[in-house]
Amino acid sequence: MHIYLDNAATTKMSKAAIEAMLPYMDTVYGNPSSLHSAGQRANEALAESRERIAKQLGCDAQEITFTSGGSEADNQAIISAARIGEKKGKKHIISTAFEHHAVLHTLNKLEKEGFEITLLDVHENGIVLPEQVANAIREDTCLVTVMYANNEIGTIQPIKEIGQICRENGVLFHTDAVQAAGHLRIDVKEQNIDMLSLSAHKFHGPKGIGALYAKKGVRLTGLIEGGAQERGKRAGTENIPAIVGMAAALEEACAHIDNSARKMTALRDRLIAGISEIPHSVLNGDAKKRLPGNVNFCFEGIEGESLLLLLDDKGICASSGSACTSGSLDPSHVLLAIGRIHDIAHGSLRLTLSEENTQEEIEYTINAVKEVVAYLRSISPVWRDLVSGKKEFIIK
Ligand SMILES: *Cc1c(COP(=O)(O)O)cnc(C)c1O
């Protein structure tokens, strides 16, 4: 049995992406900056991929800059907005407490440079309200950055409404859409988005490639010194095979977006219903306003790490939250942000689906989670204290 339920960490590459990439790892290996025909063939693939990606986002090709992934796109978007802001004496940035570390750590860096950062509360349901953004905007606000969908608990934010508020106030709006791209419909113009980050390996494309959309007129700051690739905004020879693979993967994902969402939502809701039968468990994040493929629970009286290892023994690849924090003993900042206390946040489980998962896999997983949680509780001294009444249950 091999059941992959960690699609928020990364996805399996699609056949379409692999096939699209093959010629660019074999016969079409020119450098797109070269003037000869081999280079020009690569350059054509680069231009065509940019067009295809732009089309899926509702923007122009010139508004797309290729990066090494979601992290770099987030860094570049935020640093660029900060540089634009400080020229006008605006050094205040609004974000949320449960962003990806690519955003939070970049904000920390700017804070050390003298920027002021406001992190909005995301409430117990994991959703920020547009009014919060409106209330936090000041004269000196240069950027609002709010993720489209959270990578741990899957909650979807009111992006269009937040974008509208930013537009009315003349503030740049960036969204980390790494979990949303290819899974939820995106139209940057319609949704009032000025900058958006995406990453191919989260929608069945290759790893190490991403893109930053920046509206015409938003001047990007290059993070890497070197050649004039990407109109001087991102030095380094373009990763043509990966860029071609990303375009193919995004196109395919967007073509099937409604069907995949319908299928995954049904599996997700079955998984949520099944796991909810476990006593003293709680679903993290809004039950409905979440990604079609995201399930995230906390169980009282157990350790997430042991849960993952025992599930792995049963052939199930799961996660306790973010791949970036696993291996560290700190509980997830996302779960803390929605108000889970340390002990509870430690007992978390994230299961993230793809359209390839089956009903049988879901039923097997529900039973496996039930068994493993029961076993871990049977050997847990904390659980013994809870059952005997020595300690009080936090999750009722
Ligand atoms: C995965 C992820 C990133 C980082 O993307 P990489 O391509 O792995 O650098 C950023 N933000 C979110 C929300 C993510 O899920």
Side-chain angles (χ1 to χ4, degrees), residues 221-239:
T221 301
L223 303 181
I224 298 174
E225 304 303 328
Q229 290 90 353
E230 298 297 286
R231 299 171 315 287
K233 302 307 174 198
R234 209 288 183 171
T237 303
E238 300 87 344
N239 186 348

Side-chain angles (χ1 to χ4, degrees), residues 78 134 152 162 189 222 235 241 246 256 274 276 301 312-313 318:
I78 294 167
E152 290 189 34
I162 294 173
K189 297 274 139 58
M246 172 160 66
H256 303 136
S276 295
D312 194 34
D313 285 344

Side-chain angles (χ1 to χ4, degrees), residues 4-5 14 66 74 134 154 160 213 237 295 342:
Y4 186 75
L5 293 173
S14 71
F66 292 116
D74 284 342
K160 184 178 174 180
Y213 150 77
T237 303
V295 174
H342 280 239

Side-chain angles (χ1 to χ4, degrees), residues 13-25 28 32 41-50 52-53 66 200 203-206 209-210 238-252:
M13 271 179 66
S14 71
K15 293 272 178 297
I18 296 170
E19 270 165 32
M21 290 171 75
L22 286 174
Y24 297 93
M25 296 191 286
V28 194
R41 281 186 69 193
N43 197 35
E44 278 159 25
L46 177 62
E48 190 196 308
S49 302
R50 202 186 302 279
R52 289 164 68 188
I53 289 165
F66 292 116
F203 51 79
H204 305 282
I209 189 73
E238 300 87 344
N239 186 348
I240 301 298
I243 288 169
V244 169
M246 172 160 66
L250 186 62
E251 236 167 38
E252 191 187 34

Side-chain angles (χ1 to χ4, degrees), residues 8 69-71 74 100 147 149 151 176 178-179 199 201-202:
S71 300
D74 284 342
H100 190 273
M147 70 199 319
N151 48 304
D176 172 344
V178 173
Q179 289 292 330
S199 175
H201 76 101
K202 303 290 176 72

Side-chain angles (χ1 to χ4, degrees), residues 359-396:
Q359 187 76 47
E360 293 70 46
E361 290 179 339
I362 297 308
E363 297 305 328
Y364 174 89
T365 301
I366 292 169
N367 287 328
V369 173
K370 284 180 176 171
E371 271 175 40
V372 170
V373 169
Y375 168 71
L376 287 172
R377 283 175 172 171
S378 75
I379 57 167
S380 154
V382 176
W383 184 253
R384 201 172 314 133
D385 288 349
L386 288 165
V387 173
S388 69
K390 222 187 252 175
K391 263 177 133 184
E392 231 181 285
F393 279 108
I394 293 159
I395 305 174
K396 300 294 171 199

